[in-house]
Structures are given as structure tokens and as C-alpha cells.
Amino acid sequence: MRPARAPAPAAARGGLALYELYRAASRAAAPAVLLWRRLQGLEHPTRWPERLGQPSAARPRPGSPLVWFHAVSLGEGMAALPVVRHCAGLHPGLPVLLTTTTLSSFEVIKDLLPDGVIYQFAPLDCPDAIDSFIGYWKPSLVLLMESELWPNLIMSAAAKGIAVALLNARMSLKSFNRWSVPLGLPLVTLMLSKLSLVAPLSTIQAVRFQLLHTPPGIIHFAGDLKYAVGDVNVMENEVNKINDLRQQFSNRPLWMAASIHRGEEQVILRVHEELIKIYPTLLLILVPRHPQDCKTFSLALKKQEVNFVLRSTKEVVSSGTRVYMVDTLGELRMLYRVTPVAVIGGSFLPGLAGHNISEAAAAGCAVVTGPHVGHFYHMLLDMWQINPLAVKQVAGEFKLLQTLKELLGDAETLGACQRAAKDAFSIMSHGVVNRVWNLVCRFAIDF
């Protein structure tokens, strides 16, 4: 039996009234929000009714317990997958449901789920969609990933006696400041009082949750599940892809720029242009964060008269190819196993907040990132503590160029950075899934 939930702190006084206002506003806004998202192409063309809580799959074993994992997008969904697999492996007959909200997460994650795990698009956080969803699936446990604090979801689950836990819990400084104002604090305090477990990413994150009056007894550390994302064996079809790419690349010097945001491609291409002057056969694997940016990146390459190929066209890389652009989804983990050096994007322009570096480290890449890494800075600190060579953080374009010159030109330095990254990942990832699941069993499971 899970521990009794602590009473709501005094700071939550007034939260119920604010929740009722939110509940009414979200009900009124939901049709317009969904219509706008559909017009923008942000919803699945045929499965969008799931966003209203209308199921597209049968509920297995009616009357039995069901575990619902919820993540917002691809990164959070990938972090949830190791726990989903662990749960499904320990309890083979237990129905497990995973929801996310974005098309990119759907395209990648649907093919990585264990047999029997159900995927649905998450309901919008409006009362009707949430009540319909919960009423149909009847979860016994809700495991939210990272920053998914949705009032209707949490309050509705709590009202029905369903345990809710927040795993890999994080809150950006911007969100913390928004929740800390007089109109936000009573509502977030009320929501947090309904949780059975908060497993924060770092001490800083734990402090933020405590300052928002999360009951101290439910805050427990287990490690960062993003380390577990890279700790997955390569599937057989990926091995074939890796061998094919290695054959095409013909032992050329190689580096990869992964998860590159619009605007960052200019930095990457300028650096690549300088590197080619030193290494004439150098090949860049360029992976946009958002496939829709491939058009913009292609125009930039054409303007600079750079010879490039797109992965989706299956065009073979020739000796004259300078850039191999990946416009497909779900292949980043495989691609890390092809390159010796991985530069992680989302980190070279102000306003960006970095991306997960653990997949590149797990593959044995020398890992490089820019100055803007957001909450991933705790990951850098963890890995630096084990070995300062595990991740190289550069201040900008010039330092990136100098670092890549060093890595590409000195096999001993490159090898040392590759080994440091892989070793640091191995240490940080060890046991994290077990620790998280043990906390879930202790604080949230009651079936």
C-alpha cells in the first residue's frame, strides 16, 4: 500500500477557486485550440479524435489495473521508454498505455514500444477530453514525464483516487517564475499536493519544487532517465543501416551536427567550410532538429554551392559529397554509431536550451555542445565530475572550429574523449531505471 498523501499545504488555499476558473476556460478554449492545431498540420490527420479522449484501441482486460505513461514530445517519450519496457517486462500481463502529443514522437515511438503496449495521442487538458479518456482507459496509475503539470489531468485523476507521479521532474526558471506569482502559486501548490511522488532531475529542480510547496516527503532522487535512453541495444535493421553508411562514407574523415535548429545551420556550415580547407575529403552529417527545416537548410547549401544529398532520397554518397543531410525521423541513435564526433545542437543560439547528450556518449562519440544548454547543464556537470573530457562545451563558433580541428587532427585526443564519454555514460546510466521503478512501487503503486 502506498504512503498516505499529505494534506494540501496552506499555500494551496484559493487554489480550488483558480482551478475552477481554469477548468471553465480550458473547456471553452479546447475546440478552437484543436482546430488551430489541425490547420497548422500539428495533429494526426485521422487520429486527432484521440485528443478529445476518443479511443482508437480497445482497453485490454477490462477491470484489471492499467498503467498510463504520459510524455509531451519525442525527448520526454524516449526518456519514458526504458521505464515502459521495465514495467512491461516485470508485469507481462499488465496493460500499459503510453501517450504523447506530437507527430514526431508518434512517428518514432510507435515502432519502439514493446509488444502489447498501447499508444494513443494524449487528450487535451480540458475537462471533457480528460474525463472521457480516464473514463474509458480507467488507469490505476499515471506516470507523468518531466514538466507535464496539467491541472485537469492531475485533479481529475486525484478525484478518482488514481495515483499520479512526476518522473524526471523538472521546471524551467521561466515556468517557476510564472507559477510563483500570486495567481499561479495556489493552483500549482494544489496540484503538487495531489501527487504521490516527484522524482527530480537535480538538486536545483528539487529546490524549485519545494519552493512551490511540494510536500517534502514525496520528493526523492533516482537519477536522470535520459541516461537510460542511450542504453538500448541496436536492432538488427539498424546494424544493416550502419554497415551501409560506413561503406558509403569510405573511411572519410567525418563529423556530425545533430538536432540543429534553424539559424544554427549557418554556424555549422561556416565551420565545415573552414574545416574542408584542412581536410578536403571531410563529410558532415547534418541532422535538423525539425525535418520541416530541411528545406531552409537545403536552400542555404545550394546558395553556397555545397554538394549535398538527402537521406530520404537514398542517393549514394559520392567522393564529391560534402554534406549528408538527414531528413528522416528516428535515426539519430543509429547515426551516432557511425560518427566519431557529435556536435549537439540547440545550444549555439541564445534562447535555445540544449538537447540530450547521453545518446551520443553511449555510442562512444566525442561529444561537443554549445554554450546554451538549459537544464541539460546538470548532465554536463555529472559527466565532467567523472571525467572532464566526457563533454566539450564551447563558447561559440570560433571555439567550435578550434575544438573540431583538434579532434579531427589528433587521434589520441579523439580516442580519449570518446572513451571518456562512453565511460561517463556507463557510470551515470547504471541502475537508474531500477531506482525509478522502485520509487514508483514504494510511493505510487496500490494494486
Side-chain angles (χ1 to χ4, degrees):
M1 181 175 291
R2 66 177 184 267
R5 186 181 289 126
R13 196 173 295 117
L16 199 55
L18 288 171
Y19 169 61
E20 290 302 327
L21 289 173
Y22 172 87
R23 181 178 168 86
S26 61
R27 172 178 278 130
V33 169
L34 184 58
L35 177 60
W36 180 86
R37 288 182 57 86
R38 291 180 65 193
L39 292 173
Q40 295 295 313
L42 300 175
E43 297 292 346
H44 193 282
T46 61
R47 296 184 63 167
W48 62 265
E50 293 172 27
R51 302 283 275 146
L52 297 175
Q54 299 173 20
S56 64
R59 204 279 196 195
R61 300 177 58 197
S64 69
L66 179 144
V67 177
W68 172 18
F69 289 84
H70 171 61
V72 60
S73 191
L74 181 57
E76 295 84 357
M78 291 297 290
L81 271 180
V83 191
V84 171
R85 292 190 182 100
H86 191 75
C87 173
L90 284 178
H91 308 281
L94 178 69
V96 178
L97 172 71
L98 173 66
T99 63
T100 65
T101 63
T102 64
L103 287 171
S104 60
S105 58
F106 165 73
E107 291 296 337
V108 175
I109 290 173
K110 65 182 173 60
D111 297 323
L112 298 175
L113 292 174
D115 290 343
V117 174
I118 305 159
Y119 176 89
Q120 295 278 280
F121 284 97
L124 294 172
D125 195 55
C126 71
D128 300 329
I130 292 292
D131 289 345
S132 175
F133 185 95
I134 291 179
Y136 179 81
W137 292 104
K138 294 181 172 56
S140 308
L141 170 64
V142 183
L143 299 175
L144 306 176
M145 294 299 299
E146 302 209 5
S147 55
E148 288 295 270
L149 291 173
W150 292 104
N152 286 314
L153 191 163
I154 292 172
M155 296 297 290
S156 179
K160 295 173 174 61
I162 302 167
V164 182
L166 187 62
L167 308 184
N168 252 34
R170 66 177 176 87
M171 182 171 292
S172 69
L173 182 59
K174 182 178 179 181
S175 295
F176 173 76
N177 289 335
R178 186 171 64 244
W179 282 120
S180 298
V181 300
L183 276 177
L185 186 58
L187 178 56
V188 76
T189 300
L190 178 64
M191 279 196 294
L192 292 170
S193 74
K194 303 299 182 182
L195 301 181
S196 298
L197 168 68
V198 173
L201 281 175
S202 65
T203 303
I204 291 174
Q205 297 297 331
V207 169
R208 287 177 184 166
F209 279 99
Q210 285 183 316
L211 290 173
L212 295 176
H213 306 288
T214 303
I218 69 169
I219 299 176
H220 296 272
F221 290 97
D224 187 347
L225 284 168
K226 280 192 164 66
Y227 284 114
V229 173
D231 195 18
V232 179
N233 293 329
V234 177
M235 293 184 288
E236 186 176 348
N237 66 326
E238 291 182 323
V239 173
N240 295 333
K241 291 177 183 178
I242 290 169
N243 292 336
D244 175 65
L245 287 174
R246 284 175 176 163
Q247 187 175 2
Q248 288 191 53
F249 297 161
S250 303
N251 296 316
R252 292 168 59 177
L254 178 70
W255 69 291
M256 182 165 91
S259 298
I260 301 302
H261 288 241
R262 188 176 298 189
E264 289 187 303
E265 84 281 1
Q266 299 171 21
V267 174
I268 298 301
L269 294 178
R270 284 195 296 266
V271 167
H272 188 55
E273 185 178 12
E274 290 299 313
L275 290 171
I276 285 177
K277 296 175 182 177
I278 307 169
Y279 310 102
T281 62
L282 183 67
L283 180 67
L284 165 65
I285 302 175
L286 179 60
V287 188
R289 176 63 176 176
H290 305 291
Q292 59 266 33
D293 288 338
C294 286
K295 185 176 181 180
T296 302
F297 292 9
S298 296
L299 290 173
L301 289 166
K302 288 175 182 176
K303 186 176 181 180
Q304 297 178 31
E305 298 182 346
V306 176
N307 189 326
F308 71 98
V309 299
L310 294 173
R311 176 154 177 78
S312 63
T313 66
K314 296 184 167 53
E315 184 179 349
V316 176
V317 174
S318 69
S319 59
T321 304
R322 293 291 170 261
V323 176
Y324 185 74
M325 186 150 63
V326 180
D327 56 344
T328 53
L329 285 169
E331 297 194 297
L332 195 54
R333 186 183 63 181
M334 177 273 294
L335 289 162
Y336 282 137
R337 284 160 172 78
V338 178
T339 181
V341 180
V343 176
I344 312 301
S347 61
F348 288 96
L349 295 177
L352 299 178
H355 290 295
N356 187 9
I357 62 175
S358 73
E359 288 181 288
C365 298
V367 183
V368 184
T369 187
H372 307 286
V373 294
H375 75 274
F376 286 100
Y377 188 65
H378 84 89
M379 188 177 280
L380 271 66
L381 290 176
D382 289 343
M383 296 181 74
W384 282 334
Q385 197 166 23
I386 295 167
N387 190 324
L389 295 178
V391 186
K392 286 185 174 288
Q393 186 179 35
V394 298
E397 184 175 332
F398 177 76
K399 280 293 187 181
L400 175 61
L401 177 59
Q402 297 305 310
T403 298
L404 290 172
K405 283 181 180 178
E406 180 184 19
L407 291 171
L408 293 169
D410 186 338
E412 188 173 329
T413 298
L414 174 61
C417 291
Q418 288 177 297
R419 289 189 297 274
K422 195 171 183 71
D423 290 347
F425 165 79
S426 179
I427 292 169
M428 294 308 303
S429 64
H430 181 69
V432 63
V433 176
N434 275 324
R435 291 194 297 275
V436 168
W437 190 248
N438 287 341
L439 284 177
V440 170
C441 291
R442 179 181 169 192
F443 288 92
I445 288 182
D446 193 20
F447 55 83

